Amino acid sequence: MSLWTSLEPASATVDPGGSTTVRLRLRNTGDVVDEYRFEPVGDIAPWTRVEPQTLRLYPGTTGTVELTFAPPRTPDATAGPNPYAVRITPTEHPEAVTVPEGNLTITPFTEVRAELVPPTVKGRFRGRPKLAVDNLGNTKLTASVSGSDNGDQLSYDIHPSNVQIEPGRAAFVKATLKPRQVIWFGSKEERPYKFAVQRSGVAPLDVEGTYVQRGFLPRWLATFLGVFMALAITFVMLWIAYKPQVRSEAKERLDEAGVSTLAPSASATPPPPPTPTAPATTPPPAAQSPAAGGGGAGAGGGSEEEKKKAPEKTAATAVQALAADDPGGRHICYRVFVTGKGWTDAVCDGETAGVVGENKAIKALNVAVSGTKGTGSAAFVHNPGSTDGKGHYNGKPWSFAPDGIDNYFGSTKQDAPDMLGFTVNVDNGGGAVCQTTHVHNEGWHGMGCDKPGEGEGFIFGGTLSNDLWLEAVKFTV
């Protein structure tokens, strides 16, 4: 070896974005004049400058070279000790390469950037923004994410709420915003909110966004319903005022003809109201008058006709039977109108209504309750004009029915849209109702419940996707 080297100091420290200098001393211990070329090697070589790049030494003389390190303030400048080296190649003896090594410690720094994607979200019941968190420092970032707003008007579901991000990487946090109160009628309202990215020992980084809450129904519909109700009440009052006179004339004419208007009833329970698609059926005279029975054979034939013309068994029929056996209990019965099959049999309290595995869509639901102070519902259906891949509510307001009475939502018309989902409650949101749905290509969804005094006053079941549909449902109260 004809060369002696020394790094002064052998270990150095530098801040990202700054610089530091190390001296390399070398002596020509050979017996000939030689010229030396210097080349930095290792991970930090791109940030290393050698001056001068060549040095000519006589035998027995010493020279000095300066190594300047200037790591950038970027995630590439990894915090902590970083080894480095300088390759020294003699011109006279190129095979006698010398590589002195040292250590450069780069100090850590943190820099975080966060933004909402998109900064403004819109919805009636929820909004789903994403928070992008970028680690621009040179050390691992650990932070927690929380949401807040003025007036506590929104609730926040954040996943994940804690993140660990390597230098130069980014993490996406999914959030679901839910308004604590639904705007049933009226125009949209803007609700500012912010997410806080909190790191230990430093002030949180706040990112602001806006949730635009839309009204469930337009304002003009409230005016229309008010006018409609006033007209309906006026009509009912006029009908009540003139109805006794009409009934009296009808009774006199029937008395003159000697015809009785009474028909035998098989049950003290009144028949349920007809479904939207089933026309009312008038029993034949033989079933209306006891005198038409005749002999034994005639009576047998009349009994068979009564069986054929028996009233349709709806959800109300089933729930009335349960209420008679359990007067103080809470029950819910239901059935579904399935494409190509029609109405299924009514089932109750957690049983399955619908067809699973045959790709048959539900068009309408019939629900009735007892012991819950009534029920309300609305249908969410396929939208052929959708531009966002979601369905829509079919334009009809909520339908309500008291205990023991049928409630229908959806449509049984031949060209009716498939049902994607629904909203349902009991006691106008003051009671608990649970549901689970079987969605095409997704299977059974988890059980969801409306909690009295919490949430939106109803529970949504099904899917928003315009390409999926309901196949079966289960309800409990």
Side-chain angles (χ1 to χ4, degrees):
M1 177 70 67
S2 61
L3 182 65
W4 170 87
T5 62
S6 175
L7 287 170
E8 299 175 356
S11 298
T13 301
V14 65
D15 296 328
S19 64
T20 190
T21 301
V22 174
R23 295 170 58 187
L24 171 63
R25 297 181 61 199
L26 63 160
R27 179 185 297 119
N28 184 355
T29 60
D31 54 3
V32 296
V33 178
D34 209 341
E35 185 177 67
Y36 303 94
R37 288 182 286 106
F38 305 94
E39 179 185 3
V41 294
D43 293 338
I44 63 174
W47 313 322
T48 307
R49 185 176 71 253
V50 181
E51 292 181 347
Q53 295 183 352
T54 61
L55 184 64
R56 186 179 180 84
L57 294 177
Y58 288 91
T61 60
T62 302
T64 302
V65 174
E66 289 189 347
L67 307 178
T68 301
F69 303 98
R73 190 178 174 83
T74 64
D76 297 332
T78 306
N82 292 268
Y84 70 89
V86 180
R87 181 186 293 117
I88 305 174
T89 306
T91 302
E92 295 297 330
H93 302 284
E95 73 283 354
V97 175
T98 301
V99 185
E101 298 179 352
N103 186 71
L104 179 68
T105 299
I106 300 177
T107 59
F109 77 96
T110 58
E111 185 175 345
V112 182
R113 182 175 60 193
E115 60 179 340
L116 280 168
V117 184
T120 300
V121 291
K122 302 177 181 179
R124 292 180 175 84
F125 306 115
R126 59 183 56 83
R128 292 187 174 90
K130 289 184 180 179
L131 179 66
V133 183
D134 297 294
N135 182 6
L136 303 181
N138 63 351
T139 59
K140 180 185 291 187
L141 169 68
T142 300
S144 61
V145 181
S146 60
S148 62
D149 60 274
N150 293 330
D152 194 26
Q153 298 174 334
L154 303 173
S155 64
Y156 304 87
D157 183 10
I158 300 174
H159 182 78
S161 58
N162 295 281
V163 293
Q164 286 190 340
I165 312 173
E166 297 293 335
R169 299 299 182 114
F172 287 89
V173 178
K174 297 181 180 179
T176 300
L177 313 177
K178 292 183 179 180
R180 298 191 184 277
Q181 292 184 350
V182 177
I183 302 176
W184 292 107
F185 296 97
S187 58
K188 60 186 179 183
E189 294 184 11
E190 293 187 356
R191 305 195 185 279
Y193 68 94
K194 65 181 179 181
F195 286 127
V197 181
Q198 178 69 61
R199 294 171 291 150
S200 177
V202 298
L205 174 63
D206 293 335
V207 185
E208 297 182 349
T210 302
Y211 172 62
V212 179
Q213 184 180 359
R214 296 170 173 168
F216 185 74
L217 297 173
R219 187 182 299 274
W220 61 264
L221 185 58
T223 304
F224 171 79
L225 291 177
V227 173
F228 177 79
M229 290 299 297
L231 293 175
I233 293 173
T234 302
F235 175 79
V236 171
M237 296 300 294
L238 292 174
W239 173 261
I240 292 175
Y242 288 98
K243 188 175 180 180
Q245 181 180 359
V246 174
R247 292 182 62 184
S248 176
E249 292 178 357
K251 184 176 183 305
E252 291 175 359
R253 294 188 179 184
L254 289 174
D255 290 341
E256 292 176 358
V259 178
S260 173
T261 61
L262 299 177
S265 174
S267 171
T269 303
T275 65
T277 57
T281 303
T282 303
Q288 292 182 354
S289 174
S303 176
E304 187 65 28
E305 287 297 321
E306 289 179 0
K307 291 180 181 179
K308 292 181 179 180
K309 299 298 182 179
E312 184 179 7
K313 293 183 179 180
T314 67
T317 310
V319 86
Q320 289 168 9
L322 287 177
D325 294 337
D326 183 18
R330 291 165 52 90
H331 300 284
I332 181 169
C333 296
Y334 43 93
R335 58 177 184 156
V336 297
F337 191 91
V338 180
T339 303
K341 290 181 176 290
W343 286 108
T344 63
D345 293 336
V347 297
C348 304
D349 298 335
E351 297 182 83
T352 300
V355 180
V356 176
E358 297 184 15
N359 295 331
K360 300 288 187 180
I362 292 176
K363 298 285 189 179
L365 274 80
N366 169 209
V367 178
V369 295
S370 66
T372 68
K373 299 182 181 179
T375 180
S377 55
F380 190 81
V381 300
H382 175 79
N383 180 11
S386 175
T387 59
D388 58 359
K390 299 179 181 179
H392 67 167
Y393 287 94
N394 58 2
K396 297 180 180 180
W398 279 61
S399 60
F400 297 91
D403 280 1
I405 301 300
D406 282 308
N407 186 17
Y408 292 90
F409 49 105
S411 175
T412 59
K413 294 182 179 179
Q414 184 174 1
D415 57 349
D418 296 341
M419 282 190 65
L420 313 180
F422 54 82
T423 53
V424 65
N425 68 10
V426 295
D427 191 14
N428 199 23
V433 57
C434 298
Q435 58 75 35
T436 180
T437 59
H438 190 283
V439 177
H440 176 67
N441 286 342
E442 292 187 354
W444 285 104
H445 285 193
M447 179 70 71
C449 300
D450 176 24
K451 299 180 180 179
E454 300 180 14
E456 301 163 333
F458 59 86
I459 186 70
F460 180 87
T463 176
L464 300 178
S465 175
N466 212 31
D467 298 327
L468 305 177
W469 57 79
L470 293 181
E471 292 183 342
V473 298
K474 298 177 184 179
F475 293 99
T476 58
V477 294

